[in-house]
Amino acid sequence: MRNILKLVCLILITIGIIPKEVQAASFKDLTDDTLMTEIHYLVEQDIVKGYSNQLFKPNDYVTKAQVAVMLTRALGLNTINIENPHYQDVTPANPYYKEIAAVQNKGIFAAAQTFNPDVPITRGEMAIVLNRAFQLKGSDPYYFTDVTEQTRGYKEILTLAHNHLVRGYEGGAFKPNDPVTRAHFSAFLARALTLSKPNLLKDPAFVYTYAHYSLSDNKRYTLSYQYEQHDGKNDVWTVKNVSTGQSLADELLYAHDRAYGQAIASDANTHYDLYMELPLRIGVILHEDDPGVTAGERVTVKSTNSTVQAGEVQYTGVIIVEKRSKFSDVIKTYYFVDDVGLIKELHNDIVVFELLTRTMK
């Protein structure tokens, strides 16, 4: 009898919490794999849910009421003792009244006569809302072909682009008046939530010691990295194989306010082995169809706040970056820590570099 009562209670709780939607680890109708990292992040954080039968409905337009709900969950806004937003079309009887009031009280949506809760939000409006919600900073002299100073949300759109939250469409358009789909808004929101501008360089004040597994000879070595100089562009780190006493090719690390790159010094090098524009956020940051020397490569930030063990140290706030190539079966995964640098690197499932110690010079 007690088990039956527990089952009935569970069913009632489930019905009460999610009458129409259910969480899902994967969705059958997600065909754009470039947005999966962001969407799954929001699902894991209980910010967005999928529908029954493992559907996400990525191409459905997201309404202002749904945006209010997602932002309330994402920001953890208080929905108790909220002030009436005094929208004529949003009464306390509205199922999303508390969330709409919460975002209006927070200043994310402006005070007005009406809210239009069932109207899809446009991409331009989305830019304004996300800027207010996350207090984003910065703007580049970057212009979409259809965004001018007369465009509503002009400054906010450029700020989103500056922070790599949006890229626009092929041909350079942003389409500010188009409604936002569930998939796109989920991606923009997840990116804003995970925005990070870390220092990925090694600290020149330390000597870094790594365990290295060489795939060329299937042997394990201990490598020592020591800062040598700045050559006008890169930090140059000398590398020594402690196990054999052999000096290896220097490591070159490049960074400024907007980018990070790393390479092995070699006449054969034509570009950085890993190059990322800053700030970082989860999702695909370099697509294999992008032109240039990195054509054919996909770089995805899988996390900006993980916990990872390297050596005997457990690091928090770890940035995880995955790199794939059309021309190789090897998936490279990099683990970085702010102000420390690289702590681990995997090729497929094999750990090829792992930080053991950092010693003050």
Side-chain angles (χ1 to χ4, degrees), residues 103-174:
V103 292
Q104 190 271 347
N105 291 176
K106 192 69 174 178
I108 297 172
F109 281 91
Q113 288 188 338
T114 59
F115 183 74
N116 300 313
D118 299 322
V119 173
I121 193 169
T122 68
R123 288 169 58 85
E125 292 170 334
M126 172 273 301
I128 295 171
V129 165
L130 289 183
N131 271 273
R132 290 174 180 168
F134 294 96
Q135 300 294 302
L136 301 172
K137 305 296 182 183
S139 180
D140 286 329
Y142 178 97
Y143 296 93
F144 294 104
T145 56
D146 55 354
V147 175
T148 69
E149 292 185 6
Q150 286 69 48
T151 303
R152 184 165 182 261
Y154 167 74
K155 291 182 179 180
E156 291 85 354
I157 292 169
L158 295 189
T159 298
L160 259 62
H162 173 85
N163 287 285
H164 308 306
L165 302 188
V166 298
R167 296 184 65 180
Y169 291 90
E170 186 176 354
F174 181 76

Side-chain angles (χ1 to χ4, degrees), residues 316-334:
T316 58
V318 178
I319 295 154
I320 304 176
V321 180
E322 179 186 274
K323 179 181 174 182
R324 297 170 179 259
S325 173
K326 287 183 177 180
F327 313 109
S328 172
D329 294 329
V330 177
I331 300 172
K332 297 182 180 180
T333 308
Y334 306 86

Side-chain angles (χ1 to χ4, degrees), residues 75-93:
L75 300 173
L77 299 182
N78 180 27
T79 56
I80 302 174
N81 299 323
I82 49 179
E83 295 183 13
N84 191 325
H86 299 295
Y87 292 124
Q88 294 177 1
D89 54 355
V90 180
T91 69

